[in-house]
Amino acid sequence: MRNKFLLIIAMTMMFAARSSAQMIAVNTDVAMDACMAPSLGVELTLGKKSTLNINGLYAANMLGKDIRIAAVQPEWRVYISGRPMFHHYVGAIGLLSSYKFSHLAGKVYDGDAGGLGLSYGYVWPVTQRLLIDFHTSLGLVFYHQKEYFVGDDYDNHYTNEEGNPYANAHGSLLMPLRIGVSVSYILK
Protein backbone atom coordinates (compact mmCIF):
# COMPACT_ATOMS: atom_id res chain seq x y z
CA MET A 1 0.00 0.00 0.00
CA ARG A 2 2.88 2.37 0.78
CA ASN A 3 4.26 2.02 -2.76
CA LYS A 4 0.82 2.77 -4.24
CA PHE A 5 0.56 5.84 -2.01
CA LEU A 6 3.97 7.12 -3.12
CA LEU A 7 3.10 6.49 -6.78
CA ILE A 8 -0.12 8.51 -6.49
CA ILE A 9 1.74 11.40 -4.82
CA ALA A 10 4.46 11.33 -7.51
CA MET A 11 1.87 11.34 -10.33
CA THR A 12 0.04 14.25 -8.69
CA MET A 13 3.26 16.24 -8.40
CA MET A 14 4.10 15.59 -12.08
CA PHE A 15 0.62 16.77 -13.09
CA ALA A 16 1.03 19.84 -10.89
CA ALA A 17 4.38 20.67 -12.48
CA ARG A 18 2.83 20.60 -15.98
CA SER A 19 -0.09 22.88 -15.10
CA SER A 20 1.19 26.40 -15.53
CA ALA A 21 -1.87 28.68 -15.31
CA GLN A 22 -3.66 26.86 -12.53
CA MET A 23 -3.75 27.56 -8.83
CA ILE A 24 -1.94 24.89 -6.83
CA ALA A 25 -2.11 24.61 -3.06
CA VAL A 26 -0.50 22.27 -0.56
CA ASN A 27 -2.29 21.42 2.67
CA THR A 28 -2.15 19.44 5.86
CA ASP A 29 -5.07 18.27 7.98
CA VAL A 30 -4.50 19.68 11.45
CA ALA A 31 -6.97 17.22 13.04
CA MET A 32 -5.05 14.20 11.70
CA ASP A 33 -1.70 15.77 12.61
CA ALA A 34 -2.98 16.15 16.19
CA CYS A 35 -3.80 12.40 16.19
CA MET A 36 -0.16 11.67 15.23
CA ALA A 37 -1.10 10.72 11.65
CA PRO A 38 0.78 13.23 9.46
CA SER A 39 -1.09 14.19 6.33
CA LEU A 40 -0.16 15.97 3.13
CA GLY A 41 -2.41 17.11 0.33
CA VAL A 42 -2.36 18.90 -3.00
CA GLU A 43 -5.28 20.86 -4.43
CA LEU A 44 -5.34 21.72 -8.15
CA THR A 45 -7.88 23.87 -9.96
CA LEU A 46 -9.67 22.05 -12.78
CA GLY A 47 -11.85 24.87 -14.06
CA LYS A 48 -13.57 28.08 -13.07
CA LYS A 49 -15.44 26.50 -10.14
CA SER A 50 -13.85 23.11 -9.39
CA THR A 51 -10.71 21.62 -7.90
CA LEU A 52 -9.17 18.20 -7.29
CA ASN A 53 -7.82 17.67 -3.78
CA ILE A 54 -5.69 14.59 -3.12
CA ASN A 55 -4.87 14.01 0.52
CA GLY A 56 -2.76 11.22 1.98
CA LEU A 57 -1.81 10.19 5.49
CA TYR A 58 0.34 7.60 7.22
CA ALA A 59 0.74 6.63 10.87
CA ALA A 60 2.71 3.81 12.44
CA ASN A 61 1.70 4.43 16.09
CA MET A 62 -1.38 6.62 15.95
CA LEU A 63 -2.29 8.20 19.30
CA GLY A 64 0.63 6.35 20.88
CA LYS A 65 -1.15 2.99 20.41
CA ASP A 66 -0.48 0.02 18.14
CA ILE A 67 -2.49 1.52 15.26
CA ARG A 68 -1.11 1.60 11.71
CA ILE A 69 -2.94 3.33 8.89
CA ALA A 70 -2.12 4.52 5.37
CA ALA A 71 -4.81 6.27 3.33
CA VAL A 72 -5.34 8.26 0.15
CA GLN A 73 -8.44 10.46 -0.21
CA PRO A 74 -9.13 12.03 -3.62
CA GLU A 75 -11.86 14.68 -3.59
CA TRP A 76 -13.51 16.62 -6.42
CA ARG A 77 -14.84 19.95 -5.15
CA VAL A 78 -17.27 22.42 -6.75
CA TYR A 79 -17.18 25.87 -5.16
CA ILE A 80 -20.60 27.48 -4.78
CA SER A 81 -19.11 31.01 -4.85
CA GLY A 82 -17.90 30.35 -8.40
CA ARG A 83 -14.26 30.86 -7.45
CA PRO A 84 -11.92 27.93 -6.64
CA MET A 85 -10.55 27.69 -3.09
CA PHE A 86 -12.96 30.31 -1.76
CA HIS A 87 -15.89 29.89 0.68
CA HIS A 88 -18.48 27.05 0.45
CA TYR A 89 -18.04 23.88 -1.60
CA VAL A 90 -19.69 20.51 -2.14
CA GLY A 91 -17.94 17.51 -3.57
CA ALA A 92 -17.44 13.81 -4.07
CA ILE A 93 -14.77 12.07 -2.00
CA GLY A 94 -13.12 8.67 -2.22
CA LEU A 95 -11.11 6.60 0.25
CA LEU A 96 -8.46 3.91 -0.20
CA SER A 97 -6.80 2.67 2.98
CA SER A 98 -4.84 -0.10 4.60
CA TYR A 99 -4.91 -0.47 8.39
CA LYS A 100 -4.07 -2.60 11.43
CA PHE A 101 -5.59 -1.87 14.83
CA SER A 102 -4.21 -4.05 17.63
CA HIS A 103 -5.61 -4.42 21.13
CA LEU A 104 -8.82 -2.57 20.31
CA ALA A 105 -11.36 -4.06 22.76
CA GLY A 106 -9.26 -7.23 22.88
CA LYS A 107 -9.26 -7.72 19.10
CA VAL A 108 -7.00 -7.15 16.12
CA TYR A 109 -8.35 -5.67 12.87
CA ASP A 110 -6.01 -5.96 9.88
CA GLY A 111 -7.31 -5.13 6.41
CA ASP A 112 -8.12 -2.77 3.58
CA ALA A 113 -11.03 -0.39 3.02
CA GLY A 114 -12.40 1.72 0.20
CA GLY A 115 -15.35 4.01 -0.12
CA LEU A 116 -17.19 6.84 -1.83
CA GLY A 117 -19.19 9.68 -0.40
CA LEU A 118 -20.29 13.31 -0.47
CA SER A 119 -18.41 16.18 1.15
CA TYR A 120 -19.10 19.73 2.27
CA GLY A 121 -16.73 22.42 3.44
CA TYR A 122 -15.93 26.04 3.90
CA VAL A 123 -12.61 27.68 2.98
CA TRP A 124 -11.72 30.78 4.97
CA PRO A 125 -9.02 32.92 3.34
CA VAL A 126 -6.72 34.24 6.11
CA THR A 127 -4.38 35.99 3.68
CA GLN A 128 -4.09 36.00 -0.10
CA ARG A 129 -2.20 32.66 0.00
CA LEU A 130 -3.02 31.14 3.41
CA LEU A 131 -6.38 29.33 3.75
CA ILE A 132 -8.18 27.41 6.49
CA ASP A 133 -10.51 24.65 5.25
CA PHE A 134 -13.27 23.27 7.50
CA HIS A 135 -14.59 20.02 6.00
CA THR A 136 -16.85 17.05 6.64
CA SER A 137 -18.08 14.11 4.59
CA LEU A 138 -20.29 11.04 4.73
CA GLY A 139 -19.91 7.93 2.63
CA LEU A 140 -20.24 4.19 2.26
CA VAL A 141 -17.06 2.30 3.14
CA PHE A 142 -16.42 -1.33 2.15
CA TYR A 143 -13.84 -3.30 4.16
CA HIS A 144 -12.09 -6.65 3.86
CA GLN A 145 -10.12 -7.62 6.96
CA LYS A 146 -8.66 -10.24 9.24
CA GLU A 147 -10.45 -9.94 12.59
CA TYR A 148 -9.38 -12.02 15.57
CA PHE A 149 -8.85 -11.91 19.34
CA VAL A 150 -5.48 -10.90 20.74
CA GLY A 151 -3.51 -14.07 21.44
CA ASP A 152 -5.26 -16.19 18.80
CA ASP A 153 -3.00 -18.14 16.47
CA TYR A 154 -4.70 -16.59 13.45
CA ASP A 155 -2.09 -17.54 10.84
CA ASN A 156 -2.57 -21.26 11.53
CA HIS A 157 -6.39 -21.29 11.83
CA TYR A 158 -7.51 -19.19 8.84
CA THR A 159 -5.41 -20.25 5.86
CA ASN A 160 -6.14 -21.12 2.25
CA GLU A 161 -4.78 -24.11 0.30
CA GLU A 162 -1.41 -22.38 -0.15
CA GLY A 163 -1.10 -21.81 3.61
CA ASN A 164 -1.56 -18.04 3.45
CA PRO A 165 -3.86 -16.36 5.99
CA TYR A 166 -7.08 -14.97 4.51
CA ALA A 167 -9.58 -12.31 5.55
CA ASN A 168 -12.44 -13.63 7.63
CA ALA A 169 -14.56 -10.46 7.81
CA HIS A 170 -15.97 -8.11 5.23
CA GLY A 171 -18.84 -5.68 4.99
CA SER A 172 -19.81 -2.06 4.62
CA LEU A 173 -20.44 0.92 6.89
CA LEU A 174 -22.02 4.34 6.45
CA MET A 175 -19.53 6.65 8.14
CA PRO A 176 -17.62 9.94 7.90
CA LEU A 177 -14.77 9.66 5.39
CA ARG A 178 -13.01 12.84 6.44
CA ILE A 179 -13.76 15.40 9.15
CA GLY A 180 -11.38 18.13 10.19
CA VAL A 181 -9.61 21.40 9.65
CA SER A 182 -6.88 21.82 7.04
CA VAL A 183 -4.38 24.60 6.58
CA SER A 184 -3.58 25.31 2.92
CA TYR A 185 -0.97 27.45 1.22
CA ILE A 186 -1.43 28.53 -2.42
CA LEU A 187 1.86 28.04 -4.29
CA LYS A 188 0.79 29.80 -7.49
Side-chain angles (χ1 to χ4, degrees), residues 156-171:
N156 291 327
H157 291 299
Y158 298 99
T159 58
N160 56 19
E161 291 90 26
E162 292 86 32
N164 298 323
Y166 64 87
N168 63 345
H170 61 277

Side-chain angles (χ1 to χ4, degrees), residues 16-25 85 129 185-188:
R18 295 188 56 117
S19 58
S20 58
Q22 297 179 337
M23 280 198 311
I24 300 171
M85 298 183 207
R129 292 188 177 263
Y185 184 77
I186 297 175
L187 297 175
K188 64 176 188 172

Side-chain angles (χ1 to χ4, degrees), residues 68-145:
R68 176 192 52 80
I69 187 166
V72 175
Q73 296 174 303
E75 181 180 12
W76 176 63
R77 298 175 173 180
V78 177
Y79 285 82
I80 298 169
S81 69
R83 185 172 133 199
M85 298 183 207
F86 189 74
H87 291 300
H88 299 276
Y89 66 85
V90 293
I93 187 169
L95 169 71
L96 295 171
S97 69
S98 178
Y99 57 88
K100 183 173 185 178
F101 304 135
S102 297
H103 303 286
L104 188 64
K107 284 190 168 184
V108 176
Y109 302 90
D110 183 6
D112 300 311
L116 290 172
L118 300 174
S119 63
Y120 171 78
Y122 181 81
V123 176
W124 176 44
V126 178
T127 67
Q128 189 174 1
R129 292 188 177 263
L130 184 65
L131 313 169
I132 297 179
D133 177 5
F134 303 92
H135 50 268
T136 187
S137 63
L138 184 66
L140 188 59
V141 175
F142 298 92
Y143 63 89
H144 186 75
Q145 67 189 13

Side-chain angles (χ1 to χ4, degrees), residues 8-28:
I8 290 171
I9 293 295
M11 289 173 56
T12 302
M13 292 300 182
M14 287 188 311
F15 177 75
R18 295 188 56 117
S19 58
S20 58
Q22 297 179 337
M23 280 198 311
I24 300 171
V26 293
N27 61 56
T28 185

